[in-house]
Amino acid sequence: MKVHEFQAKQIFRSYKIPVPDGDVAFDHQNATQIAKGIGKFPVVVKAQIHAGGRGKGGGVKLAHSLDEVSQHASSIIGMNLVTHQTGPEGKQVKKILVESGVNIEKELYLSLIPDRETACILVIASEAGGMDIEEVAAQTPEKIIKVFINPLSGISPHHCRQVAFGLNLPASVIKEFSQILTRLYHLFVENDCSLVEINPLVITKESRVIALDAKMDFDDNAMFRHKDILEFRDLDEEDPLDVEASKYNLNYINLDGTIGNMVNGAGLAMAVMDTIKLAGAEPANFLDVGGGATAEMVENGFKIILSDDKVKAILINIFGGILRCDILANGVVEAARKTKIKVPLVVRMEGTNVEEGRKILAESGLKLFTAVDMKDAGEKVANIAVS
Ligand code: GDP
Ligand code: MN
């Protein structure tokens, strides 16, 4: 789960990691009010979307007067912001962060991620921070430093010194930097983060160290123990069908193709997507209804697939284990009746109660094709969708 910059900065503040004064605004009146409260210029107006690269896309602007704050706020709110992370369709901006400008001496890059290979928390840093960090990593990888922290022993002063020296920090800021890195590490671990990124972390002309940007991503599987962070979830930033599916505990991801999928088991779902691609078509979604799915979950999954206009045919591939084939068949028939399904259905079913399941489908009067195995299912559904 991602959060906005202004929310990440709120979390930073609670860990005493320095960030500029500021607040979120939803319109230009809000924005000028916040700028008045800040009381000095420049003020920075920043688009709040769940994607980076906003600066280059025109989503970060400096204002030197209240009039300019109001102008930038009006032009950024409502704009369709296209960055290298949003994809070509861009993202509509609904809110902005209005915050105090900072006198930048140097822009650094600092991030923490879990490193699965070493089972450590990896600190990545660079003295060439700012908007071109991707290029730095590609062209001059030696400017990126990495320090591994074993989570069993945690962060120690020597880790901080290693990063600080790697960044060629002036002696005057090493103490403050080390304090920030230590707090960031605790924030990362205590909140089950999968990413914390500050780009840029700036050294100011007054030799202060401040997080000018803040990006956080959390492990979805740990969110049950972070109710406070769950409140930061912004449904505006998520795919509407994904949001609908998450209400029913379905593992669903909307994709670009034309073949809707309903499968039980994430591994089987991946294999089905491969099969569809091998047959020359593209999946419209990933959907794992789960091992212990009920008829109701199947029905909900089916409704979500059917509400997707891209879908030209549906492939149901179920291996009946805990989810028995008759339950699945009932769910499919029920959903198909309620939604007046118009696209063809290809069904491949094996496992517990398969005979009962097939009987229910055969007697349902639905227009469906049965497949003998996965390859057959993939080819049948691809033929229908492509023709
Ligand atoms: P991103 O492009 O989405 O990563 O957005 P950032 O928050 O990193 O902002 C992009 C750039 O805007 C930064 O790298 C800075 O160069 C600039 N910027 C942001 N805040 C300030 C500020 O307070 N003062 C100045 N002078 N520049 C700023
Ligand atoms: Mn940034």
Side-chain angles (χ1 to χ4, degrees):
M1 191 190 108
K2 293 193 174 86
V3 297
H4 286 292
E5 176 192 7
F6 75 92
Q7 296 163 326
K9 282 180 170 168
Q10 233 164 287
I11 302 172
F12 278 23
R13 278 191 195 102
S14 69
Y15 278 79
K16 296 198 166 61
I17 295 166
V19 295
D21 284 338
D23 209 344
V24 65
F26 298 85
D27 57 40
H28 67 97
Q29 284 103 335
N30 265 178
T32 42
Q33 211 57 42
I34 295 165
K36 267 187 205 157
I38 292 170
K40 61 179 172 43
F41 291 98
V43 159
V44 190
V45 179
K46 309 179 79 177
Q48 298 296 290
I49 55 169
H50 283 187
R54 298 161 301 168
K56 282 187 174 169
V60 178
K61 296 244 160 72
L62 268 124
H64 296 91
S65 65
L66 286 179
D67 276 348
E68 260 182 47
V69 170
S70 174
Q71 276 164 27
H72 292 326
S74 300
S75 68
I76 293 177
I77 294 173
M79 86 186 277
N80 192 50
L81 182 53
V82 180
T83 81
H84 62 274
Q85 288 185 12
T86 60
E89 70 281 6
K91 194 93 216 171
Q92 172 142 52
V93 181
K94 301 205 165 145
K95 37 190 148 333
I96 52 175
L97 171 62
V98 179
E99 65 177 19
S100 176
V102 169
N103 281 325
I104 302 174
E105 174 74 31
K106 190 165 185 186
E107 300 195 1
L108 311 167
Y109 175 93
L110 181 65
S111 70
L112 272 69
I113 51 164
D115 181 62
R116 289 181 172 78
E117 214 159 293
T118 58
C120 283
I121 291 168
L122 172 58
V123 180
I124 303 175
S126 177
E127 61 175 313
M131 294 197 273
D132 293 315
I133 190 67
E134 285 86 357
E135 248 157 69
V136 173
Q139 312 284 336
T140 47
E142 68 280 2
K143 287 196 180 149
I144 306 277
I145 55 168
K146 294 180 174 179
V147 173
F148 294 85
I149 303 176
N150 185 328
L152 293 178
S153 39
I155 190 165
S156 306
H158 73 86
H159 294 121
C160 298
R161 282 195 295 274
Q162 212 181 326
V163 181
F165 294 156
L167 289 172
N168 290 313
L169 292 185
S172 57
V173 303
I174 288 184
K175 194 173 159 212
E176 193 175 5
F177 173 83
S178 300
Q179 211 169 41
I180 289 173
L181 180 55
T182 306
R183 289 171 181 168
L184 203 62
Y185 177 86
H186 293 301
L187 171 154
F188 183 93
V189 172
E190 286 164 18
N191 292 286
D192 292 302
C193 293
S194 53
L195 168 80
V196 175
E197 184 185 67
I198 307 179
N199 186 30
L201 175 71
V202 299
I203 303 176
T204 67
K205 297 213 188 296
E206 302 80 25
S207 285
R208 297 263 345 260
V209 186
I210 298 179
L212 217 59
D213 194 2
K215 192 169 182 178
M216 296 181 80
D217 207 340
F218 300 87
D219 181 349
D220 289 339
N221 292 320
M223 283 299 96
F224 72 94
R225 56 185 182 199
H226 298 289
K227 301 279 185 279
D228 47 337
I229 288 167
L230 216 44
E231 288 186 6
F232 285 148
R233 186 171 171 198
D234 184 348
L235 299 182
D236 280 345
E237 295 289 325
E238 298 179 25
D239 185 298
L241 288 180
D242 291 5
V243 173
E244 187 69 14
S246 73
K247 284 189 207 155
Y248 305 121
N249 276 326
L250 297 165
N251 297 313
Y252 173 93
I253 296 163
N254 197 4
L255 302 168
D256 298 328
T258 56
I259 296 179
N261 282 295
M262 167 129 67
V263 185
N264 65 332
L268 189 58
M270 299 296 281
V272 167
M273 295 191 349
D274 283 349
T275 311
I276 290 170
K277 281 174 170 275
L278 261 178
E282 292 289 329
N285 67 282
F286 170 97
L287 172 60
D288 164 22
V289 291
T294 58
E296 198 191 350
M297 282 172 83
V298 171
E299 193 183 318
N300 288 328
F302 213 70
K303 276 190 204 147
I304 287 166
I305 295 178
L306 284 171
S307 64
D308 184 350
D309 295 336
K310 306 186 299 287
V311 172
K312 291 204 180 127
I314 297 176
L315 172 52
I316 299 179
N317 187 3
I318 298 285
F319 187 83
I322 302 169
L323 168 61
R324 303 187 329 247
C325 293
D326 53 328
I327 292 191
L328 167 87
N330 277 326
V332 170
V333 172
E334 196 57 26
R337 283 211 183 102
K338 282 188 191 158
T339 52
K340 301 193 178 59
I341 176 175
K342 288 193 190 72
V343 294
L345 264 180
V346 176
V347 183
R348 187 243 172 175
M349 211 160 56
E350 289 296 343
T352 312
N353 293 0
V354 68
E355 292 310 327
E356 290 93 317
R358 286 192 180 140
K359 194 158 163 256
I360 292 166
L361 290 178
E363 290 169 0
S364 69
L366 289 176
K367 186 183 173 204
L368 47 83
F369 304 86
T370 48
V372 291
D373 57 23
M374 264 177 70
K375 186 160 174 280
D376 184 39
E379 284 166 2
K380 277 196 172 121
V381 80
N383 272 336
I384 296 168
V386 172
S387 64

